[in-house]
Amino acid sequence: MVETNLTGEGIYKTFEQLYCSKELAAGKVKNNLIILCVINIFLSITASVGNTLILVALRKETSLHPSSKLLYRNLAITDLCVGIIVEPVIVCYWTSQAMERWDICRYVLVSKYVIGFILCSVSLMTVTALSVDRLLALLLGLRYRPVVTLKRSYAIITILWASATVAGTIYVVHPFVTRWIGNVAIILCLITSIFSYSTIFFTLRNYQIKPQEHVSQAQSPQAIPLNMARYRKAVSSALWVEITLVVCYLPYVVAVLLTPKRELSLPHYLARQFGATVMHLNSSLNPLLYCWKIKEVRQVVKGTLRHIFCSFV
């Protein structure tokens, strides 16, 4: 494993030894860890229930294009996995840290990092794929459906999961390689999303300025989608999902960047743990976004909840 200096006095520790140590389980830190455990147990429940409802709703919903719906389903699956896997694992990590069970702590810590890396990577790449999907819908126009097929979308989803899994498991052997891949992936995904939404914005702006010109091209194979109101709603939904992800991930990224590479103080440690909690909050917020921005999903979720409530009454 990559070695890290904890004391600044020439004493080197591995990543697992550094984050599973008595120095990080002393005094009031345990109280903070207990608070974090309670918060993440709650978020685990909300993410699991919320994303289960969304998966049921997306299965019944028919207004979305199949490829777009597949991307939303994939994002809901990753959020569901965060709720039922990542958050319980991180609670186990904090519990073992507070109880000073270092053998369990180090094992759970590696598991948390690998699984969390895979799911976060898939989420980030899926959100980026949504932005590209919306851009293609605008640029391809009537050619969008025959080009962006469900079969090709499944292939892309498979590639996303395979690449994230390979990069995540490499951490067990070469942690530096996984971190380097993660940093590059974040940069590429952000650049791609910014380019996609910027292109969409300027194209729609041009469409508003010269509507007659676009109307005359409506019969062209590369025409802009005719139902612009519906398209704007789809772009708005995808953009809100992207903004929410960035806002939730930002505190953890900042905490990681501010943590000295060769030292780890208690404030830096707690900042990273609370940042991770805010990052996990994203999995609970996404179902609310889907219900807010996608009317058909909201109606199905309401119907499902009404059916469940009536079953217990």
Side-chain angles (χ1 to χ4, degrees):
M1 289 299 188
V2 175
E3 294 182 336
T4 309
N5 189 302
L6 173 63
T7 63
E9 299 175 353
I11 302 176
Y12 287 88
K13 293 187 176 183
T14 64
F15 177 79
E16 291 81 3
Q17 292 172 334
L18 182 60
Y19 281 83
C20 294
S21 61
K22 292 184 179 180
E23 291 86 348
L24 300 179
K28 296 182 179 180
V29 177
K30 288 186 178 180
N31 295 332
N32 290 296
L33 294 180
I34 292 174
I35 294 174
L36 286 171
C37 286
V38 173
I39 294 174
N40 277 266
I41 289 174
F42 174 76
L43 292 179
S44 175
I45 296 172
T46 56
S48 300
V49 174
N51 286 286
T52 299
L53 289 172
I54 293 301
L55 286 172
V56 173
L58 288 174
R59 184 178 180 181
K60 299 179 180 179
E61 199 275 339
T62 58
S63 64
L64 290 173
H65 185 265
S67 63
S68 300
K69 185 163 69 171
L70 178 61
L71 292 174
Y72 278 115
R73 287 176 63 184
N74 188 60
L75 190 58
I77 289 173
T78 60
D79 289 334
L80 178 63
C81 290
V82 169
I84 65 178
I85 300 177
V86 176
E87 288 179 322
V89 169
I90 199 171
V91 168
C92 290
Y93 162 64
W94 287 326
T95 302
S96 62
Q97 177 83 349
M99 297 177 64
E100 301 186 10
R101 294 294 304 272
W102 310 127
D103 51 341
I104 298 176
C105 180
R106 292 165 187 168
Y107 175 79
V108 174
L109 178 62
V110 175
S111 301
K112 174 186 77 71
Y113 190 92
V114 173
I115 298 173
F117 179 90
I118 293 173
L119 293 177
C120 289
S121 298
V122 174
S123 295
L124 180 60
M125 290 188 290
T126 301
V127 170
T128 304
L130 272 170
S131 69
V132 175
D133 176 72
R134 292 300 82 204
L135 177 61
L136 290 176
L138 180 64
L139 298 181
L140 294 177
L142 300 178
R143 296 177 57 235
Y144 170 72
R145 289 181 177 274
V147 172
V148 184
T149 62
L150 189 59
K151 183 177 180 180
R152 291 174 179 173
S153 298
Y154 270 113
I156 292 174
I157 294 297
T158 302
I159 293 173
L160 296 185
W161 277 97
S163 58
T165 302
V166 171
T169 51
I170 288 176
Y171 175 83
V172 179
V173 182
H174 297 291
F176 175 78
V177 175
T178 298
R179 292 167 187 158
W180 183 84
I181 293 174
N183 293 335
V184 173
I186 290 174
I187 295 173
L188 291 178
C189 286
L190 288 177
I191 292 175
T192 302
S193 296
I194 292 173
F195 171 79
S196 297
Y197 287 116
S198 298
T199 304
I200 290 173
F201 172 78
F202 288 113
T203 303
L204 291 179
R205 185 169 178 269
N206 185 52
Y207 177 80
Q208 291 177 334
I209 295 174
K210 302 178 180 179
Q212 294 301 325
E213 178 181 340
H214 291 290
V215 170
S216 64
Q217 297 175 355
Q219 303 303 320
S220 170
Q222 297 184 1
I224 290 180
L226 299 179
N227 194 340
M228 296 304 295
R230 182 176 176 181
Y231 176 77
R232 287 192 178 93
K233 288 183 180 180
V235 171
S236 176
S237 301
L239 183 57
W240 270 101
V241 170
E242 175 110 25
I243 292 174
T244 304
L245 182 142
V246 172
V247 170
C248 289
Y249 279 43
L250 189 59
Y252 180 76
V253 173
V254 171
V256 171
L257 294 176
L258 294 180
T259 302
K261 294 183 178 180
R262 295 186 173 274
E263 294 181 9
L264 181 64
S265 63
L266 291 179
H268 287 130
Y269 173 75
L270 290 176
R272 291 183 66 148
Q273 305 314 305
F274 277 100
T277 299
V278 176
M279 183 169 64
H280 297 153
L281 175 63
N282 178 249
S283 297
S284 297
L285 292 179
N286 278 339
L288 298 177
L289 286 177
Y290 303 149
C291 291
W292 173 40
K293 301 300 295 184
I294 307 176
K295 180 181 179 181
E296 293 78 9
V297 170
R298 179 170 66 251
Q299 291 175 340
V300 175
V301 169
K302 284 182 178 180
T304 303
L305 290 175
R306 191 180 300 113
H307 177 73
I308 295 173
F309 178 76
C310 293
S311 300
F312 285 96
V313 175

